Amino acid sequence: MRAIALDKPSGKPTLRTDVPEPAIQAPDELRIRVLEVGICGTDRAIVRGEGGVPPSGSDYLVLGHEMLGQVVETGSEASSDYKAGDLVVCTVRRPCRLPECPTCAHGESDLCYTGKYSERGIVGAHGYMTSRIVESTDFAVKLPPELRPYGVLIEPTTVVEKAILESVLIQNRLDWVRNLTDDQEANRDWRFVKRALVAGAGPIGIMAAFVLLLHGVETHVSDIRPRDGYKGRLVESIGATYWNVMETPVEDIPSSTGSIDLIVEATGVAPVAWQLLSALGVNGVLVFTGVPGDRGGELELEGGHLMRQMVLWNQVVLGSVNANRSYFLQAVKDLSEMGRRWPQQLASVITAHVPIENYETALTSQPADEVKAVFDIPEN
Ligand SMILES: [Zn+2]
Ligand SMILES: [Zn+2]
């Protein structure tokens, strides 16, 4: 089988032709034909030499963690829920399975305590940029057929589903939010988030805007590109307001919009991310989703001012990584609704379908107006 892989000895991406055909080994497994795989900043970082660990015993790592596939064969225990032809998306992270890790045991490997998890296409497990894979139903979710055009966006959507739902849960600390809600749905109450700012109009940021708008939140998106460019027009066509921070610095945005309750950081640039605190309102939450390199993000902050602001305004800053299966289920639900409301715009998030032969260019460069480029994976 062919696969786009990182060759560990040379550190270069390659199109391999010798990847073994996978076979079902356990009754709960699915054999899946991969249809599309999204190209993401993480893949490009791996190709630049930042991270990327092959499974033990392998000298290459099949890349890709944002997949859409179709079931071709089911294990005996999987056959009641899945059948050949079903669309599926698989999650990324696999649990550490260590006894001292209660979160992994609970299906929340995104919150793994030991750090000894693996991630398909990133660390310790092969990814999805290949024709066929085998996966346990524990790590797969089924998609309705109408999500075929955008199903590859599920994984990036799960990142913001988690980040935003965690922020909503945190706001449950506010007594007035608790008092407004009368049942166990309290931690899913969105009323506190009246106004949100998403920083960065890449795939994560744009999917965050879709999720927020779906919940009726007044949504603003900031980026460094002009407002009449591709991303600006896309963002405004779904009902969010676009801010070019080259014209309006982020700290000036609230003076036009009013207090901002939630900021979703989706830039991956540390100095930009911390700067967002200057736009955060009273009782606000700032959630980081970007993963910058370990070095090169040095910045100077007026620490006294920021600490004073955070304390006096009861602000929360949190980081949020990856997502477990529950967020994939939520993303399937939300993407279905987005597809009904904004079919054209949702399709416009995918800006390029790339043949796998063009792997080198696609993994080493990024066109200015790209939102999400995906590899079309051939059957052979
Ligand atoms: Zn990704
Ligand atoms: Zn764990």
Side-chain angles (χ1 to χ4, degrees):
M1 248 180 3
R2 291 196 292 172
I4 301 170
L6 179 81
D7 180 57
K8 211 53 196 180
S10 69
K12 292 204 160 65
T14 53
L15 186 56
R16 297 186 75 96
T17 54
D18 60 347
V19 173
E21 185 75 40
I24 287 183
Q25 314 269 350
D28 71 330
E29 287 178 341
L30 304 168
R31 195 157 65 90
I32 298 163
R33 150 141 163 64
V34 181
L35 300 169
E36 293 175 1
V37 181
I39 304 166
C40 129
T42 304
D43 305 314
R44 289 180 172 133
I46 290 174
V47 166
R48 281 198 305 272
E50 298 164 23
V53 180
S56 59
S58 172
D59 63 355
Y60 67 90
L61 171 72
V62 176
L63 294 170
H65 56 274
E66 304 179 1
M67 62 84 75
L68 170 68
Q70 197 162 28
V71 174
V72 287
E73 186 191 354
T74 56
S76 56
E77 278 172 24
S79 56
S80 54
D81 296 325
Y82 293 84
K83 59 179 188 323
D86 282 350
L87 284 180
V88 283
V89 168
C90 299
T91 65
V92 181
R93 196 177 275 191
R94 301 293 169 263
C96 68
R97 299 191 198 282
L98 291 169
E100 63 268 34
C101 190
T103 47
C104 277
H106 197 65
E108 295 179 308
S109 60
D110 55 319
L111 305 175
C112 178
Y113 276 99
T114 68
K116 299 210 167 85
Y117 53 78
S118 57
E119 287 179 330
R120 290 198 71 151
I122 303 172
V123 55
H126 284 312
Y128 300 129
M129 289 178 184
T130 187
S131 300
R132 277 163 298 277
I133 57 153
V134 161
E135 189 51 88
S136 159
T137 51
D138 286 350
F139 307 115
V141 295
K142 193 153 76 171
L143 268 58
E146 61 269 23
L147 286 187
R148 173 67 182 84
Y150 350 91
V152 70
L153 298 173
I154 290 281
E155 196 280 336
T157 305
T158 65
V159 172
V160 288
E161 291 285 2
K162 175 179 171 185
I164 295 171
L165 282 172
E166 280 184 306
S167 305
V168 169
L169 184 58
I170 285 168
Q171 289 321 86
N172 199 37
R173 71 199 161 125
L174 305 174
D175 226 20
W176 69 267
V177 171
R178 272 204 303 274
N179 287 344
L180 278 171
T181 53
D182 40 12
D183 56 35
Q184 62 277 50
E185 286 296 299
N187 62 6
R188 292 290 181 262
D189 193 291
W190 287 70
R191 272 174 283 191
F192 94 93
V193 192
K194 295 229 176 313
R195 186 174 296 116
L197 171 68
V198 178
I204 299 281
I206 288 181
M207 294 319 295
F210 273 105
V211 170
L212 290 161
L213 288 164
L214 205 59
H215 289 270
V217 177
E218 181 190 315
T219 302
H220 300 265
V221 177
S222 65
D223 200 290
I224 53 173
R225 306 202 59 81
R227 188 172 173 187
D228 59 2
Y230 187 86
K231 293 172 179 181
R233 281 182 284 129
L234 173 56
V235 158
E236 298 222 313
S237 72
I238 58 173
T241 304
Y242 185 87
W243 297 84
N244 175 358
V245 290
M246 307 305 273
E247 287 167 3
T248 312
V250 75
E251 62 268 29
D252 292 348
I253 295 177
S255 62
S256 304
T257 61
S259 183
I260 295 173
D261 306 305
L262 168 65
I263 300 182
V264 180
E265 180 281 325
T267 67
V269 182
V272 174
W274 288 105
Q275 186 65 29
L276 294 170
L277 262 173
S278 63
L280 189 64
V282 173
N283 303 330
V285 177
L286 165 58
V287 57
F288 293 157
T289 70
V291 185
D294 233 359
R295 304 291 302 273
E298 285 75 16
L299 72 156
E300 268 180 46
L301 289 174
E302 185 35 80
H305 171 76
L306 282 181
M307 184 172 167
R308 180 184 161 85
Q309 174 193 308
M310 287 185 69
V311 170
L312 295 180
W313 289 4
N314 301 291
Q315 294 176 324
V316 178
V317 178
L318 80 146
S320 178
V321 70
N322 209 292
N324 64 53
R325 195 170 181 274
S326 71
Y327 300 106
F328 277 73
L329 293 170
Q330 185 64 39
V332 171
K333 219 171 122 192
D334 283 356
L335 218 68
S336 300
E337 183 57 26
M338 291 170 203
R340 279 189 284 275
R341 277 173 65 173
W342 302 288
Q344 219 183 336
Q345 289 95 330
L346 197 54
S348 306
V349 177
I350 299 170
T351 45
H353 283 266
V354 183
I356 58 169
E357 289 77 11
N358 296 0
Y359 68 96
E360 207 161 0
T361 318
L363 288 169
T364 52
S365 60
Q366 182 175 14
D369 279 337
E370 177 188 291
V371 183
K372 178 55 74 182
V374 305
F375 283 120
D376 285 327
I377 307 292
E379 201 162 352
N380 285 297

